[in-house]
Amino acid sequence: MFSSSFYRCRALPIVAALTLSGSLYQSAVAQARREYLLTTNWKFTKGDVPNAAQPTYKDASWQTVQVPHDWAIYGPFDGNNDLQTVKIEQNQEQKATPKSGRTGGLPFIGTGWYRRQLDVPGFGPGKRAVLLFDGAMSDAHVFVNGKEVGAWAYGYNSFSCDITDALQAGGNNVLAVRLRNQAEASRWYPGAGLYRNVHLLITDDVHIPVWGTYLTTPEINANFAKVKLRTQVATPGNTFQPLRLETEIRDAAGQVVATTSTTLTATDGQEFEQNLVVKTPQLWSPETPVLYSATSKLYAGNELKDEYRTPFGIRSFKFEAGKGFSLNGQVRKFKGVCNHHDLGPLGAAVNTAALRRQLVLLKDMGCDAIRTTHNMPAPELVTLCDEMGFMLMVESFDEWKTPKVKNGYSQYFDQWSEKDLVNMVHRDRNHPSVIMWSIGNEVPDQGAPGGGKIAKRLQDIVHREDPSRPVTAGMDQIDAAIKNNFASVLDIAGFNYKPHRYEEANDKLPQGFLLGSETASTVSSRGVYKFPVELAKQKKYPDNQSSSYDLEACVWSQTPDEEFVKQDALPYVLGEFVWTGFDYLGEPTPYDEVWPSHSSYFGIMDLAGLPKDRYYLYRARWNTAAPTLHLLPHWTWPGREGQTTPVFCYTNYPSAELFVNGVSQGRKTKGPSDKPQTQYRLMWNEVKYQPGSIKVVAYDAQGKAVAEEEVRTAGKPHHIKLVADQTHLAADGQDLAYVTARVEDAQGNLCPDATNELAFKVTGAGRFRAVANGDATSLELFHQPRMHAFHGQLVATVQASDKAGPVELKVTGKGVKPATLRLITEKNAAK
């Protein structure tokens, strides 16, 4: 059994993150610590530039950009960008072939330089200055005034650099960052540049270092929760000083619920340990994501040296043989998805509003967990998961010592793996959303001599830094992993695409439970339906699309239903993480060899964030609090009159009746069957197409008609309809509105085959940011304000300015009436 009642959240300084803009800084109240986001006035250029690190270098001709910044997302797309000639063994390939879109077909290979002036307000004698990079893609080398102050190889990890000794007090400092992406270094689109935030921290020389707190709750019951807080301190030369730490815990309403004061003694070393009690604790869960915060003030005598806030949650979990996973004493299974880090048309450049939109869609689907495949996530995602209620498997590596791609992480493994794991754990071990750590995905070392020893070493490192959470890995070589004790070493054995072998694995392994760490990999294209409708593996079509009847998978994967059967039947299976929640750039299986396919087909939602039909199959199963009733396909099939056109219904009602033009096609009921699909979806396989409408009437368990849905045959494209995910934006220069543009007929029906080119114009307190249509074969550039609709829809992104006021989006297209949408940006808008 593995149990834990340790709850953590990233420790934060007590200071609003201010934005540095050239040499101008927003004012801040006098305090011992200040943090600034280095977002604006960066200069950027592609290519390796001699002497670019030197402060005297002239960069006036470079591009001015804002960070986070992904310089490769602007394209153009080309099948020769990172063309990889490889053999994908999982696809049962017998020889190496060119893979044109494997990493997205975007020009991310090469070197890029970033530079900016770096004034450091409040810096002087007795102060320290640190740069914190949330991620930099990749092989970062950081220079201040021409001096290298730090480097980090892995582009997905966070790292910090103390720049105190390189700074000139009073200004005239220059920060330069060199980044390099190698060819054949990834299996998906990694992004390029300073794609995550960069922070400047100014502290006293006596301070709490980066990620310097560690909070656990070793005992929880209905009456109280014990809170243990360990706080590191740094002093000049690491010499002992008699310091005092005063800590108070506040609840979600901001009320103080516990306090303590502790004096650091010589025997304590450089770390405080404090124990507090929270009475009648409110527990964190996906359904009730309640957060507390511990605020610590560090004093030398009466002088305030530092102030730090550690958000956290109170919750307990167990993994038990035969029983599975329980949270706060309640048995449950992970209803999870795997997600890569790119944000579709925004590329890898992190944006909180874009992440929040993804989580809102996942929450509505009933998803409660995310696996951060196959790398450390942006800290903004982890914080949002704390706040919105998602459990996280934070993952580290896609490679260990044995390479998958020519220039992957294997080149860094021996030197960097421990450092990378320590940073990963230290950054995220205070987050209540983090339930488990993953040390790898489908590493070839599963079957290599000594692979189990590597797994144990990595797991031991994670346990050393965080003994409260279990460690897992996603394994695809089940026979090798079991035979050489690789799987038995892990706290949790995670298997990818092996539902038919769960019983066998559980019999052979000691843990008494296992996890579907990666499941399904069903492929589909939104709005695309292929005939005849049949179960198929690795099916390909001339248009490079896959059918949304959700019956097509890869040679190594399954339909969702096959996993559902095992999840329902086996209590020791802890749940599943579906591949994937959203389509992502790169890995266009089953069209890896066929340009112009350059983004995935695996997503439950497409690259634009529009739900595919499969979204409703999972919603019907996972979101039991809301009704789901969804019909497919569309009912506009000129030329198919009289031909068999199956109709499926995804619903959480037990039965339903289908009508075609008012004529009943019979009533279907979900239930046990030798075919998994008939247990979880209702299917009328012999329907003949006739223009008009299809309507489904759902019945509850008592046989009462309780809901219906109708899909009508669409006429010619007539007008554009705009639907925004939000109409009130924060005037912060970062907030986003995602606006779905639908091509509809005169009666308001979606025109499912419309391909009209739409153009976008934004005026007022906002700007056009990007557009995507979800078509894995589209070579249209995301940042251009025009794109063709894909099966009648696309999504435009409008970004708020830093000024409050109205925003207007106008969308036009040839042959359809235009549409206008009005938004508003507001200062201090609540999110």
Side-chain angles (χ1 to χ4, degrees):
M1 180 182 76
F2 194 102
S3 64
S4 174
S5 56
F6 291 67
Y7 316 110
R8 309 182 170 87
C9 206
R10 179 188 176 197
L12 300 174
I14 296 297
V15 52
L18 305 178
T19 299
L20 273 69
S21 179
S23 60
L24 301 177
Y25 303 85
Q26 297 181 22
S27 62
V29 296
Q31 49 199 343
R33 169 188 290 256
R34 298 188 184 194
E35 178 177 346
Y36 302 89
L37 280 177
L38 305 183
T39 58
T40 59
N41 287 353
W42 287 88
K43 290 290 190 175
F44 167 75
T45 192
K46 296 181 185 178
D48 203 359
V49 180
N51 302 316
Q54 298 305 313
T56 55
Y57 182 85
K58 305 299 182 184
D59 58 17
S61 63
W62 291 14
Q63 181 184 2
T64 300
V65 300
Q66 183 166 308
V67 169
H69 176 244
D70 178 357
W71 56 259
I73 194 60
Y74 301 99
F77 293 103
D78 192 313
N80 293 311
N81 286 329
D82 197 34
L83 180 66
Q84 298 185 14
T85 301
V86 293
K87 179 176 69 173
I88 302 178
E89 294 182 359
Q90 293 151 314
N91 291 355
Q92 300 179 10
E93 294 180 357
Q94 301 303 310
K95 62 179 181 179
T97 58
K99 306 295 192 297
S100 52
R102 195 181 196 200
T103 52
L106 288 161
F108 66 90
I109 304 303
T111 300
W113 277 93
Y114 291 82
R115 286 170 52 93
R116 61 161 291 146
Q117 294 296 310
L118 185 64
D119 292 346
V120 188
F123 179 76
K127 296 292 184 180
R128 307 298 298 180
V130 170
L131 290 172
L132 173 59
F133 292 81
D134 290 342
M137 190 63 68
S138 57
D139 189 21
H141 290 260
V142 183
F143 304 85
V144 173
N145 297 326
K147 177 182 178 181
E148 185 165 351
V149 294
W152 206 271
Y154 197 25
Y156 292 106
N157 215 344
S158 297
F159 65 96
S160 62
C161 312
D162 190 314
I163 63 173
T164 304
D165 295 339
L167 287 174
Q168 301 177 24
N172 296 319
N173 296 290
V174 175
L175 168 61
V177 184
R178 180 186 184 271
L179 300 167
R180 177 182 65 113
N181 278 348
Q182 295 175 272
E184 298 188 54
S186 181
R187 299 188 298 119
W188 58 86
Y189 176 67
L194 293 177
Y195 73 115
R196 292 179 181 170
N197 276 304
V198 182
H199 311 253
L200 172 65
L201 286 71
I202 311 299
T203 67
D204 198 285
D205 56 5
V206 177
H207 64 282
I208 301 167
V210 172
W211 311 322
T213 63
Y214 182 37
L215 189 149
T216 62
T217 54
E219 185 175 349
I220 301 170
N221 57 50
N223 297 318
F224 66 86
K226 292 183 178 180
V227 178
K228 177 181 287 188
L229 179 64
R230 290 163 48 189
T231 303
Q232 297 176 4
V233 293
T235 58
N238 287 326
T239 57
F240 169 73
Q241 293 189 24
L243 303 172
R244 185 176 79 260
L245 191 69
E246 296 185 355
T247 296
E248 63 181 21
I249 293 178
R250 293 179 180 267
D251 63 15
Q255 299 299 309
V256 176
V257 295
T259 61
T260 192
S261 180
T262 307
T263 300
L264 187 71
T265 68
T267 59
D268 295 323
Q270 297 295 116
E271 184 176 272
F272 287 92
E273 182 175 309
Q274 297 179 308
N275 293 281
L276 304 94
V277 173
V278 174
K279 295 180 179 179
T280 319
Q282 294 179 282
L283 302 185
W284 185 96
S285 74
E287 294 73 33
T288 59
V290 178
L291 296 176
Y292 291 81
S293 63
T295 301
S296 300
K297 294 182 179 181
L298 181 66
Y299 289 92
N302 293 322
E303 182 182 359
L304 177 65
K305 289 292 188 179
D306 205 353
E307 190 169 355
Y308 216 74
R309 185 171 67 93
T310 306
F312 68 99
I314 298 175
R315 50 96 178 106
S316 62
F317 61 79
K318 291 182 180 180
F319 294 87
E320 299 177 273
K323 296 181 180 179
F325 170 68
S326 61
L327 179 70
N328 299 327
Q330 300 296 314
V331 175
R332 60 191 294 163
K333 290 177 183 276
F334 293 104
K335 299 180 290 187
V337 299
C338 302
N339 272 341
H340 273 313
H341 68 299
D342 78 69
L343 295 170
L346 302 184
V350 71
N351 180 281
T352 300
L355 290 169
R356 183 183 293 112
R357 181 217 183 200
Q358 287 193 341
L359 295 181
V360 167
L361 290 166
L362 290 172
K363 180 70 75 170
D364 179 69
M365 188 175 68
C367 173
D368 65 9
I370 296 170
R371 176 185 178 213
T372 67
T373 49
H374 300 293
N375 41 260
M376 301 82 173
E380 290 85 354
L381 174 63
V382 188
T383 297
L384 284 171
C385 287
D386 291 340
E387 297 170 352
M388 298 177 66
F390 287 87
M391 297 178 287
L392 283 175
M393 178 203 300
V394 174
E395 193 155 79
S396 52
F397 309 125
D398 190 50
E399 276 187 13
W400 291 355
K401 293 178 73 69
T402 306
K404 294 182 183 178
V405 289
K406 180 180 178 181
N407 293 309
Y409 188 78
S410 59
Q411 66 184 309
Y412 302 122
F413 183 82
D414 288 339
Q415 178 184 355
W416 285 95
S417 57
E418 181 170 2
K419 301 173 190 176
D420 278 318
L421 286 175
V422 168
N423 275 23
M424 176 185 79
V425 173
H426 283 194
R427 194 196 76 179
D428 289 344
R429 65 185 177 181
N430 288 332
H431 287 273
S433 58
V434 179
I435 301 295
M436 67 183 95
W437 308 104
S438 171
I439 54 175
N441 170 68
E442 297 182 356
V443 294
D445 309 78
Q446 294 167 80
K453 293 180 179 179
I454 299 174
K456 185 178 186 307
R457 181 179 71 83
L458 298 180
Q459 181 168 263
D460 287 348
I461 292 169
V462 175
H463 285 167
R464 181 190 71 204
E465 305 303 324
D466 176 25
S468 74
R469 292 180 178 86
V471 173
T472 188
M475 296 174 285
D476 61 331
Q477 300 176 27
I478 186 168
D479 292 311
I482 292 175
K483 183 178 180 180
N484 72 359
N485 294 323
F486 188 102
S488 61
V489 163
L490 299 167
D491 297 327
I492 299 173
F495 291 107
N496 296 359
Y497 313 109
K498 299 296 183 292
H500 56 292
R501 300 190 66 183
Y502 285 162
E503 294 98 328
E504 174 191 354
N506 189 62
D507 287 343
K508 292 180 177 180
L509 292 175
Q511 295 92 338
F513 47 78
L514 56 83
L515 176 67
S517 46
E518 192 171 311
T519 64
S521 274
T522 307
V523 292
S524 62
S525 305
R526 176 187 52 79
V528 174
Y529 305 93
K530 300 294 187 179
F531 305 97
V533 177
E534 56 189 3
L535 284 165
K537 295 289 184 77
Q538 217 73 13
K539 190 71 177 288
K540 299 177 184 178
Y541 302 93
D543 62 357
N544 286 25
Q545 304 294 348
S546 295
S547 178
S548 271
Y549 275 106
D550 301 323
L551 294 174
E552 297 179 2
C554 304
V555 290
W556 37 265
S557 65
Q558 301 85 29
T559 65
D561 320 69
E562 294 166 78
E563 183 71 34
F564 294 168
V565 169
K566 297 299 184 180
Q567 292 289 333
D568 288 345
L570 306 175
Y572 54 80
V573 178
L574 305 172
E576 66 170 315
F577 289 84
V578 182
W579 190 266
T580 54
F582 291 83
D583 277 336
Y584 55 94
L585 294 163
E587 253 186 343
T589 308
Y591 298 104
D592 304 271
E593 303 170 8
V594 189
W595 187 257
S597 292
H598 58 275
S599 63
S600 78
Y601 299 78
F602 297 119
I604 296 171
M605 284 164 273
D606 70 16
L607 201 69
L610 291 171
K612 302 179 185 178
D613 293 292
R614 202 163 1 119
Y615 179 92
Y616 301 96
L617 180 61
Y618 283 99
R619 189 180 192 272
R621 175 176 173 82
W622 286 352
N623 187 349
T624 57
T628 296
L629 186 62
H630 177 76
L631 270 180
L632 64 136
H634 63 75
W635 208 240
T636 305
W637 297 103
R640 284 194 62 81
E641 290 80 3
Q643 296 186 40
T644 300
T645 307
V647 176
F648 291 2
C649 175
Y650 298 157
T651 182
N652 49 15
Y653 294 109
S655 64
E657 185 176 6
L658 178 70
F659 297 85
V660 177
N661 294 332
V663 178
S664 176
Q665 307 297 302
R667 185 165 164 177
K668 301 285 186 179
T669 300
K670 291 186 289 186
S673 169
D674 58 346
K675 296 181 179 179
Q677 288 72 29
T678 62
Q679 297 186 46
Y680 302 99
R681 51 178 114 187
L682 304 177
M683 301 186 292
W684 291 264
N685 291 315
E686 304 303 324
V687 175
K688 300 298 189 291
Y689 173 69
Q690 293 296 335
S693 74
I694 52 175
K695 184 175 75 171
V696 66
V697 176
Y699 300 92
D700 64 15
Q702 289 71 44
K704 180 182 177 182
V706 289
E708 64 179 51
E709 178 178 299
E710 187 170 12
V711 178
R712 296 179 178 87
T713 302
K716 295 180 179 180
H718 176 266
H719 63 266
I720 302 165
K721 181 179 180 180
L722 303 179
V723 181
D725 69 328
Q726 61 171 344
T727 57
H728 288 69
L729 284 70
D732 59 3
Q734 295 293 320
D735 204 5
L736 303 173
Y738 283 86
V739 183
T740 301
R742 292 167 48 94
V743 178
E744 297 183 343
D745 69 7
Q747 285 71 46
N749 299 303
L750 176 70
C751 297
D753 290 323
T755 59
N756 305 61
E757 183 182 50
L758 305 183
F760 312 92
K761 183 177 181 180
V762 178
T763 56
R767 68 181 181 93
F768 172 83
R769 175 65 190 274
V771 61
N773 61 14
D775 180 2
T777 71
S778 173
L779 300 180
E780 296 174 282
L781 299 178
F782 300 127
H783 67 285
Q784 297 290 349
R786 57 188 172 274
M787 184 171 282
H788 288 83
F790 180 63
H791 289 276
Q793 298 185 86
L794 49 68
V795 178
T797 308
V798 177
Q799 185 161 352
S801 73
D802 58 2
K803 310 253 188 249
V807 183
E808 183 176 278
L809 168 66
K810 185 174 183 180
V811 184
T812 57
K814 185 177 180 181
V816 288
K817 292 184 177 180
T820 300
L821 180 70
R822 289 176 176 82
L823 310 170
I824 189 76
T825 64
E826 302 170 320
K827 289 292 185 181
N828 303 316
K831 292 293 179 183

